[in-house]
Amino acid sequence: MEKSKLPVTFNKNYKPRPTLLRDRIVLVTGAGDGIGRSCAKAFAKHGATVILLGRTVRKLERVYDDINSTGGPQPAIYPMDLLGAKASDYHDLACRILREYGRIDGIVHNAALLGALMPIEHYDLKMWSEVIHVNLTAPMMLTQACLSLLRLSQDASVIFTSSGVGRQGRAYWGAYAVSKFATEGFMQVLADETDNSAIRVNCINPGAVRTRMRASAYPAENPQSLISPDEVMNPYLYLMGPDSNAISGTSIDAQ
Ligand code: NAP
């Protein structure tokens, strides 16, 4: 299928049908909290079997229980700290998914570190490496390990999570902003490499959303002035489901 790389404005009237993701196997990183937790629950609600990847097992267990209690397809928990994971860990994950499910239909690269908001002059080098690793290198390693599994899907979707500061640099956002610029670039490279395949690759910028990360970036902000993660799920569902079949290499704003 020929895919469009034209900029996409998300249609706010989009209504995902209840069976949108039926029989799909989807992995979400950072699935225990914030936007990742909402993605996992929304995908399961629309029929997907969700692999919940994250570093805090008790949070993943809560999401697992929520999905089970609402009658969604049985999810799977895959504990992994993206900061320390090695290529062999990603290889093991891909082997497990192949054994259990035979393929993968989607990945949401959602987990991220904010790091610190401070001038470049004072930015701690260890923190710089950690933020770049979790936000950029880990999604690259995970994607690399899973590409052969994505090729086994009839139509696969890879979603990267961007940010406003990944489009326009902003003082003091340091490694986080740089990692999000690079995420947009990586998405475009991968989209071009997979152009003649059934894999599509896109970015979402969720915009300001009421999460733990947002609260640590803007401690003085009233969280109640922000929308909740559940309220930005339609663009994620759109990009994860077959309605976005013909779209790859684009970055959409959820708000
Ligand atoms: P959040 O509530 O802090 O969630 C981040 C998730 O990433 C958590 O589940 C966290 O796990 C996980 N994570 C962090 N480091 C990890 C590691 N080393 N290994 C595995 N998992 C790790 O933040 P959020 O706001 O939902 O952010 C989700 C995505 O949206 C991020 O990519 C962020 O950059 C992006 N974003 C958010 C906003 C916003 O306003 N919220 C705006 C623009 C972009 P733990 O729960 O175990 O810490």
Side-chain angles (χ1 to χ4, degrees):
M1 162 173 311
E2 204 160 305
K3 293 182 228 149
S4 163
K5 289 182 186 159
L6 294 173
V8 173
T9 306
F10 179 65
N11 174 3
K12 301 261 174 348
N13 296 320
Y14 175 72
K15 291 255 181 307
R17 58 192 173 283
T19 57
L20 182 78
L21 302 179
R22 191 167 61 196
D23 299 331
R24 289 187 181 230
I25 314 296
V26 178
L27 184 149
V28 179
T29 72
D33 211 339
I35 295 168
R37 173 177 57 199
S38 288
C39 277
K41 287 160 64 168
F43 292 166
K45 190 174 164 205
H46 288 81
T49 298
V50 186
I51 302 163
L52 309 166
L53 189 148
R55 63 180 174 180
T56 309
V57 174
R58 111 192 111 71
K59 290 189 184 180
L60 299 174
E61 284 172 348
R62 243 180 267 146
V63 179
Y64 180 100
D65 289 344
D66 281 352
I67 292 174
N68 264 347
S69 68
T70 51
Q74 188 180 18
I77 291 179
Y78 204 93
M80 186 185 258
D81 184 342
L82 298 176
L83 188 57
K86 303 197 169 29
S88 57
D89 298 315
Y90 292 101
H91 176 74
D92 290 348
L93 166 63
C95 290
R96 277 286 296 280
I97 296 172
L98 183 64
R99 248 197 339 267
E100 294 287 328
Y101 305 109
R103 67 176 196 288
I104 191 161
D105 302 302
I107 301 176
V108 182
H109 294 290
N110 162 81
L113 287 180
L114 177 65
L117 299 186
M118 63 167 72
I120 294 294
E121 191 173 6
H122 302 302
Y123 210 96
D124 179 72
L125 282 182
K126 182 165 175 280
M127 183 182 288
W128 180 278
S129 307
E130 290 181 357
V131 172
I132 297 291
H133 189 87
V134 171
N135 298 6
L136 176 67
T137 310
M140 181 274 175
M141 293 169 87
L142 175 58
T143 305
Q144 191 179 49
C146 288
L147 265 174
S148 58
L149 295 181
L150 289 160
R151 283 198 201 96
L152 296 172
S153 169
Q154 284 194 338
D155 77 278
S157 173
V158 183
I159 301 174
F160 291 90
T161 312
S162 182
S163 166
V165 294
R167 308 251 186 80
Q168 174 66 53
R170 199 180 303 158
Y172 315 132
W173 282 74
Y176 179 84
V178 171
S179 75
K180 295 298 186 180
F181 267 96
T183 294
E184 296 262 356
F186 179 63
M187 175 279 288
Q188 290 183 15
V189 170
L190 186 64
D192 208 32
E193 289 183 11
T194 52
D195 206 24
N196 292 318
S197 75
I199 304 172
R200 62 194 182 284
V201 185
N202 295 286
C203 273
I204 290 186
N205 166 22
V209 179
R210 190 168 67 235
T211 66
R212 208 165 40 91
M213 182 185 287
R214 176 78 192 183
S216 49
Y218 294 90
E221 184 176 63
N222 174 8
Q224 295 315 317
S225 67
L226 302 172
I227 62 171
S228 73
D230 287 347
E231 291 172 272
V232 288
M233 284 304 111
N234 277 358
Y236 284 88
L237 286 160
Y238 170 70
L239 280 185
M240 188 47 71
D243 295 335
S244 60
N245 248 347
I247 291 169
S248 192
T250 69
S251 187
I252 72 171
D253 288 324
Q255 301 184 49

